Amino acid sequence: MPRGSKSKEQRERSRHIPQAEATTKPFYQRITKDKVRRFMMGTKDREGFLKQFSVYALLICIGFIYLYPILHMISSSLMTLDDLLDSSIKWLPSSFNLENFRQAAASMDFWRALWQSVVLAGVPTICNLLSCSVIGYGLARFDFPGKKIVMAVIILSFVLPSQITMIPTYVLYSNLGIQNTIWAFVLPALFGQGFNAPIFILIFWQFFRQIPKVLIEASRIDGAGYFKSFYKVALPSAAPAFITVALFSFVWYWNESYLTELYVHGIYGDSSWTTLVIQLDNFSDNYSSYQQTATNAATNLNESINMAGTLLSILPLMILYFVLQRHFVESIDRTGITGE
């Protein structure tokens, strides 16, 4: 064999020596600056550790801000009076006291108030869906003189504070004879004037604009009229918008206490209508009346009973959102309510 030449086995052995040495190196010696940078900052295909850590830390902090009052309310509502006075008990009560919920529900007349709350929030919500969808479709699909003026009036009516129109509206409802009745909520919603109806009209307007015009034109060629095109083509594809409007409208009607007392509850008249939110506003007076008429000895009003009444008033909305959460998030994503 000539000097300086290597056999085939020697060449193969020398080729694998660097790889073998690389694999036998300790872990900290195999880490390079490029690997650290890709791990921390990420690549085009994968997010880095710093970004993921920042996003999750921010979400946890924001979530804690919202969850802390609810967790405190649940914990306090289950405590006895001794647990409230015991400084060593912070979160977990010594025993779960469900008597607080029974007394709070009895003082609020829970089941009657719950039923009336559902009616007062549900019926105007259905009316909002009917009227706002028709108005939004008309503004999205038809061009007519003064359309821009109508859009400007709708936006202005949303920006205008409700306190400005409160007294004229009260006088109008009194003259129509619908004061202290559910019609004070139903009739305005039927004509597109319900709570925050302008934003619902804009939601439907934006959604119906996204439907291709060729679908509407094809239905018109097939002999469908305006109403049939709206009913057969536009409405089936508008489910996300309906879910968004229904949930927002129901929650806003449910949480509205001042206007409900002014127009429906009968604060200046006689009416049998009430809601859980109104009962919560008058919780102290209601509990005092319950305590005087209770057959068994009711405890004095304390923080636990107050928290139990508050939890009962928001529990239906929490259950509603838990059931419709997935559909609600999808509808928000498809309708594009992002301020853009």
Side-chain angles (χ1 to χ4, degrees):
M1 179 181 298
R3 186 177 180 181
S5 63
K6 294 182 180 180
S7 64
K8 185 178 180 180
E9 295 180 357
Q10 290 176 343
R11 289 195 301 269
E12 292 291 337
R13 188 183 301 112
S14 62
R15 187 183 302 155
H16 291 289
I17 285 176
Q19 183 178 0
E21 290 179 354
T23 56
T24 56
K25 286 183 179 180
F27 173 74
Y28 63 89
Q29 293 182 359
R30 285 185 279 133
I31 298 178
T32 60
K33 292 183 178 180
D34 184 61
K35 290 183 178 180
V36 174
R37 184 186 62 80
R38 284 184 295 177
F39 174 75
M40 300 298 292
M41 305 304 296
T43 61
K44 294 181 179 180
D45 301 329
R46 183 178 62 86
E47 294 181 350
F49 173 77
L50 285 179
K51 183 177 181 180
Q52 291 182 351
F53 178 80
S54 302
V55 170
Y56 282 106
L58 182 63
L59 290 176
I60 290 173
C61 294
I62 296 176
F64 179 77
I65 293 174
Y66 285 96
L67 289 177
Y68 176 82
I70 298 177
L71 296 177
H72 175 72
M73 178 174 57
I74 295 174
S75 175
S76 300
S77 64
L78 295 172
M79 290 184 180
T80 61
L81 184 59
D82 294 335
D83 293 338
L84 289 175
L85 299 177
D86 192 350
S87 60
S88 62
I89 297 177
K90 297 296 183 181
W91 288 98
L92 295 178
S94 59
S95 60
F96 295 118
N97 184 23
L98 299 179
E99 181 66 18
N100 295 330
F101 291 93
R102 191 192 67 80
Q103 294 187 17
S107 63
M108 296 171 64
D109 196 2
F110 177 76
W111 295 111
R112 183 179 73 89
L114 175 62
W115 166 248
Q116 293 187 354
S117 298
V118 172
V119 174
L120 284 175
V123 175
T125 295
I126 296 174
C127 297
N128 270 335
L129 292 175
L130 296 175
S131 60
C132 294
S133 61
V134 173
I135 297 173
Y137 180 80
L139 293 174
R141 288 304 174 193
F142 298 100
D143 292 326
F144 52 89
K147 178 179 177 179
K148 294 183 179 180
I149 298 177
V150 174
M151 293 293 297
V153 171
I154 291 175
I155 297 175
L156 179 63
S157 62
F158 177 71
V159 177
L160 197 67
S162 60
Q163 290 81 2
I164 297 178
T165 59
M166 192 176 299
I167 296 178
T169 303
Y170 182 85
V171 174
L172 175 62
Y173 290 170
S174 298
N175 294 334
L176 292 176
I178 60 175
Q179 188 71 24
N180 301 330
T181 65
I182 191 177
W183 293 106
F185 280 176
V186 174
L187 285 182
L190 278 175
F191 293 96
Q193 296 295 319
F195 289 169
N196 299 317
I199 194 173
F200 301 149
I201 295 174
L202 294 178
I203 290 174
F204 281 113
W205 170 74
Q206 180 183 2
F207 189 86
F208 287 133
R209 287 181 61 197
Q210 299 173 0
I211 299 177
K213 293 183 178 180
V214 293
L215 295 178
I216 306 298
E217 293 173 356
S219 64
R220 296 298 308 279
I221 294 174
D222 292 337
Y226 293 111
F227 179 76
K228 194 170 184 180
S229 299
F230 170 71
Y231 177 72
K232 292 291 186 178
V233 179
L235 284 188
S237 60
F242 273 92
I243 294 175
T244 303
V245 171
L247 191 56
F248 274 118
S249 178
F250 188 87
V251 171
W252 281 333
Y253 272 103
W254 182 284
N255 291 330
E256 182 58 54
S257 60
Y258 185 78
L259 295 181
T260 304
E261 286 186 329
L262 185 63
Y263 299 147
V264 179
H265 178 59
I267 189 173
Y268 298 117
D270 185 16
S271 176
S272 60
W273 289 97
T274 186
T275 63
L276 286 176
V277 178
I278 293 176
Q279 293 294 89
L280 184 63
D281 289 342
N282 304 323
F283 189 78
S284 298
D285 297 334
N286 294 335
Y287 190 82
S288 298
S289 302
Y290 161 75
Q291 191 177 14
Q292 295 175 0
T293 59
T295 56
N296 53 346
T299 59
N300 294 326
L301 183 63
N302 53 55
E303 183 182 356
S304 295
I305 301 176
N306 271 323
M307 292 298 176
T310 305
L311 183 59
L312 287 176
S313 65
I314 68 173
L315 187 61
L317 293 182
M318 295 174 64
I319 296 175
L320 179 66
Y321 180 74
F322 179 78
V323 173
L324 299 178
Q325 178 183 10
R326 182 175 62 87
H327 302 284
F328 175 68
V329 173
E330 292 178 356
S331 62
I332 289 292
D333 182 55
R334 292 187 60 182
T335 50
I337 308 176
T338 58
E340 298 177 357

